[in-house]
Amino acid sequence: MKRYGGTPRILCAVLAACAVCIAGCTGDKESWQNGPPGEMLSPEPTLPGAEQEPGAEKPGEPGQQNPDSPTGSDQEPGRNPGEPGEPGQQSPDSPTGTGQVLGQNPDEPSTGPLLSGTAAQLAGYYKELTLQHARAMLSGDFSLCGSFSAELAGAVSERDMRTAWKKAVQELGGPVSDTGEQTEDPEKAAIFAKASFPEPPSGGGSGSIEDFGGYVLASAQIAYEKKNLIVSITYGTSGAIEGIYLTTTLPETGPVKTESFTEYEVSVGSGEHLLDGLLTVPNGAERPPVVLLIHGSGQSDKNETVGPAGNAPFADIAHGLAERGIATLRYNKRYFQYPDLVTENVTIQDEVLEDAAGAIRFLSENGRVDGSRIYVLGHSLGGMLAPYLVRENPHTAGMISLAGSPRGLWEIVYDQNIAAMREAQLDESEQEVLMKLLQEDYEQVLALVDGVRRGEEIPEDVLSGALFGVCGNYWASLAEIDTAAIARELSLPMLILQGEADFQVYPERDYAAWQTLLEGKKNVSFRLFEGLNHLFMPSDGTRDVTEYGQEGHVSEEVIQVIADWIKAT
C-alpha cells in the first residue's frame, strides 16, 4: 500500500474547546475535527469552523507505558509523582520558557532556551520547562503563550488557552497531591512529566534539536480528583512552542483476575514505541479462540473508555467473552499512548493498521491462545476496517463489525455534519454559509478519493491541505481501502452487528448497506439490537452525546451473540 506524506511535522494547533487536534492539518482552513474524522466515540460531529467539545479524551496515559520503553529523558514511564526527579524537586535553575531562567533577575540578560547539548540535557531541560508551564497554568498564569511560535500564536490566543483549560478541568474536580488529598497549592499538586525526540539519538552524542528530529516532544500529567489532565507540548528548533493540546485520562487500573478469567499485561508492536495491552484469558481453558478488539476513531485507551462516567466498552466485551470461554486482546491506540508522535500527515496505516497487524502477529505466536482462531472485532471505524484486516492477515479466522459501515468514512462525516447543523437550529444565513463550506470539502474529498482509486498522482497541496479538518493524506490512505469490494469477496465468517438507537452510524443507511452488499452470502450473519446506541449500551432516548455521560455497560445479549457465533464457526 502506498504511503502518503513527506517529512513529519507536529501539528501547530489547539482547539479552544480543548479537544485534541490529532489528525488536523494547518492550512487555509480551520481544523475542527477532534482527531481523525468520524470521531464516532467522541461528541457530536462539529460544524465546519466550529469548536469540538471534549469527549472520549484519553491520549497519553503514561501509567500504561511499557516500563522498558525509552522516553528520551531520565523519567521512567509510570513513575509515581514525588520520586526523585519529580515535581517539588526541580532545580532552582529550571527554565520558564520565556527566555528567563527560574531564579534569574528579570533585569539580567536572558540566556534563552536550550537549543543544543546531549540528549539527556535537552530532554531534562524541556521536561522541567513543561512542568513549569503546567504549574503556571494550574495557578492561572498563561504566560507560556508568549513562547508560541509565530504560526501557533496566529491561531491560538491566550484567551483561547484559558478557555480550553477551563473546559478541560471543569468536570475533573480539584487537583490532588501525591497522597491523593485535594490541594489548591499548585506546588503541591501531583504532576510528572517526560520529554523525548521524534528520532531518538544513539550513542549518547551531543547535537541540536534539529539533529534529534527537529522537535522535542514533552508532556505533563496533572492529577485531579476524577481524572488526570495531560498537557502535551511540542518545542521546535528555536525552542518555541509549535504545538500544544490538552486531554484527560482516567487513572490506570491494572489487570483484573477473577474466578472466571485472568488478565495479563502485554506489549504490542515492535521497536521503541510498544503499546500496552491486556490479554484476557478464561481460567482453565486450553488455547481458547481469541478476539482482537479494534477501536473506533479518535485516540482511545485499551478499554475504549468514553464519557465522564468512564464507560469502557472493550473492558465489558473482554470480561464478558472470557466468562464464556473466549480470550481477547485489547491495547492502547498509538496516539493515545504516544500523543507527541502525531504528525500532520498521519494516515490510517499509522493510526490503526500497522498496530493491528502487529497485534495479530502477537496472538499468532502466543501460547495461551489458539493462534489459528483469531477473530477481528472492530467497533465503528474499526468495523469499517475489519474486512481489510482479515484479508491482509492470514492468521485470522473471521471478523465482527460493531457499528461499522461499508460506506466511505467521508460519507459518514458528511452525514454527521448535516445532522449537526439541523439540530443546531441555525438561522438561514448561518446554515447557508456552513453548508457551502461543508459541501466544498465533501466534493474535494470525493475528487481526492476518485483520483487515488484511478491511480492518479495527487498534488502535494491537496495531500497537505485540510479537508473536513483532516489532512488529505489521511483521506488518501483511506481511499486505498475499498471496504465494500473487499467484504463482497471475503469467504471468512462475518458477523455484522448494529444498535438500532445509534445516532452516529445509521441503521437505516449503514447497517442496511451491509445487508444489501452481502445479500445471499452464506458466510455472513446479521443482528440489529433494539434500543442500543453506538456503544451497544441501552439508549436513554435522547440519542445524542449526553448518553455517553451516563454510566452503562455493553448489553449482555450482544456479548452472548458474539460468543455463540464464534463457537459455531
Side-chain angles (χ1 to χ4, degrees):
M1 177 173 286
K2 181 177 179 181
R3 295 305 300 266
Y4 292 88
T7 304
R9 181 168 169 275
I10 300 299
L11 304 179
C12 300
V14 60
L15 300 184
C18 99
V20 187
C21 190
I22 291 296
C25 298
T26 55
D28 60 349
K29 294 186 178 180
E30 180 180 355
S31 172
W32 66 84
Q33 202 69 26
N34 175 15
E39 211 47 27
M40 299 171 184
L41 286 179
S42 70
E44 61 209 83
T46 50
L47 306 180
E51 295 175 352
Q52 173 76 34
E53 291 292 330
E57 305 155 324
K58 301 308 243 175
E61 187 170 331
Q64 292 186 338
Q65 289 177 307
N66 187 324
D68 298 324
S69 174
T71 65
S73 74
D74 56 0
Q75 168 68 41
E76 294 180 4
R79 174 187 287 170
N80 292 325
E83 291 184 9
E86 292 307 318
Q89 301 183 8
Q90 297 105 308
S91 162
D93 298 325
S94 62
T96 66
T98 58
Q100 180 183 335
V101 177
L102 292 178
Q104 177 179 308
N105 188 325
D107 296 327
E108 293 179 0
S110 170
T111 59
L114 185 65
L115 304 179
S116 62
T118 66
Q121 288 171 334
L122 285 169
Y125 176 94
Y126 286 99
K127 169 190 165 184
E128 289 291 335
L129 178 53
T130 302
L131 281 169
Q132 177 68 20
H133 286 324
R135 288 198 185 278
M137 289 189 287
L138 188 59
S139 66
D141 177 2
F142 289 82
S143 58
L144 91 163
C145 295
S147 298
F148 284 0
S149 67
E151 186 176 7
L152 184 59
V156 181
S157 67
E158 181 174 332
R159 179 180 178 181
D160 292 334
M161 280 302 306
R162 290 183 180 276
T163 300
W165 185 276
K166 181 179 179 180
K167 290 186 177 181
V169 304
Q170 63 185 357
E171 295 183 356
L172 303 185
V176 298
S177 67
D178 297 342
T179 60
E181 298 176 350
Q182 188 171 349
T183 178
E184 296 182 0
D185 184 351
E187 293 302 318
K188 293 182 179 179
I191 310 177
F192 67 89
K194 60 179 180 176
S196 61
F197 305 96
E199 299 174 9
S202 58
S206 298
S208 65
I209 294 175
E210 183 69 39
D211 295 327
F212 295 151
Y215 296 93
V216 181
L217 313 172
S219 63
Q221 186 167 162
I222 307 171
Y224 280 78
E225 289 178 283
K226 298 179 180 178
K227 293 184 180 180
N228 294 348
L229 178 69
I230 301 169
V231 182
S232 296
I233 300 178
T234 299
Y235 301 92
T237 55
S238 68
I241 296 174
E242 298 201 5
I244 182 168
Y245 43 93
L246 310 175
T247 53
T248 60
T249 182
L250 289 172
E252 170 69 353
T253 57
V256 174
K257 185 173 183 179
T258 72
E259 292 182 358
S260 302
F261 61 85
T262 302
E263 293 190 323
Y264 301 91
E265 292 182 311
V266 298
S267 296
V268 173
S270 60
E272 179 185 359
H273 297 107
L274 298 173
L275 302 176
D276 297 330
L278 287 174
L279 181 64
T280 307
V281 182
N283 295 334
E286 184 176 352
R287 293 174 59 82
V290 60
V291 176
L292 174 63
L293 305 181
I294 306 296
H295 311 74
S297 298
Q299 308 321 314
S300 299
D301 67 1
K302 62 175 71 72
N303 294 326
E304 208 180 42
T305 308
V306 59
N311 293 325
F314 278 9
D316 290 345
I317 293 171
H319 297 166
L321 289 178
E323 291 170 349
R324 293 164 172 83
I326 298 168
T328 58
L329 173 63
R330 61 194 196 273
Y331 57 91
N332 293 334
K333 287 189 78 171
R334 181 184 300 187
Y335 300 133
F336 169 87
Q337 187 156 337
Y338 303 106
D340 298 332
L341 295 181
V342 180
T343 66
E344 67 177 8
N345 46 22
V346 66
T347 66
I348 196 64
Q349 289 80 18
D350 303 321
E351 187 201 4
V352 178
L353 300 180
E354 291 176 355
D355 297 324
I360 292 170
R361 287 193 299 272
F362 170 85
L363 290 173
S364 69
E365 299 167 356
N366 189 281
R368 287 194 172 98
V369 298
D370 186 347
S372 68
R373 297 191 67 195
I374 301 171
Y375 295 86
V376 173
L377 183 156
H379 178 224
S380 202
L381 174 63
M384 300 170 71
L385 297 173
Y388 175 85
L389 284 169
V390 297
R391 186 192 71 176
E392 296 297 308
N393 294 276
H395 293 292
T396 54
M399 59 149 278
I400 304 160
S401 171
L402 271 65
S405 176
R407 295 196 297 149
L409 184 58
W410 48 89
E411 297 179 46
I412 295 174
V413 172
Y414 179 73
D415 288 347
Q416 288 177 338
N417 278 280
I418 288 178
M421 280 193 284
R422 289 171 179 165
E423 293 171 7
Q425 298 181 335
L426 304 171
D427 62 41
E428 187 174 343
S429 61
E430 288 177 315
Q431 184 161 330
E432 184 177 342
V433 169
L434 293 177
M435 189 63 202
K436 181 180 178 181
L437 290 171
L438 178 64
Q439 192 65 34
E440 286 176 355
D441 270 17
Y442 181 55
E443 291 176 2
Q444 290 181 60
V445 172
L446 290 179
L448 186 156
V449 170
D450 183 64
V452 169
R453 292 183 173 177
R454 289 175 178 269
E456 298 173 0
E457 190 70 25
I458 307 300
E460 184 57 38
D461 63 330
V462 175
L463 293 175
S464 61
L467 297 170
F468 284 145
V470 183
C471 300
N473 284 298
Y474 189 81
W475 297 116
S477 67
L478 275 172
E480 290 196 328
I481 301 172
D482 189 338
T483 295
I486 294 170
R488 191 183 298 115
E489 300 301 320
L490 282 179
S491 58
L492 289 174
M494 292 184 278
L495 177 62
I496 311 297
L497 305 181
Q498 175 72 43
E500 173 272 332
D502 191 335
F503 60 88
Q504 293 185 277
V505 175
Y506 307 108
E508 68 278 9
R509 298 201 63 182
D510 299 293
Y511 181 66
W514 281 121
Q515 291 178 306
T516 301
L517 174 72
L518 303 175
E519 184 179 6
K521 289 181 68 71
K522 296 181 179 180
N523 60 320
V524 186
S525 299
F526 300 93
R527 184 70 179 270
L528 180 67
F529 294 90
E530 191 74 22
L532 298 187
N533 62 22
H534 190 63
L535 305 182
F536 287 81
M537 298 177 184
S539 170
D540 64 5
T542 58
R543 301 201 178 194
D544 62 30
V545 294
T546 60
E547 291 190 6
Y548 303 157
Q550 307 299 317
E551 183 177 354
H553 295 279
V554 173
S555 165
E556 289 289 328
E557 182 184 8
V558 172
I559 296 173
Q560 188 64 53
V561 166
I562 295 171
D564 291 343
W565 178 83
I566 289 174
K567 292 175 181 179
T569 59

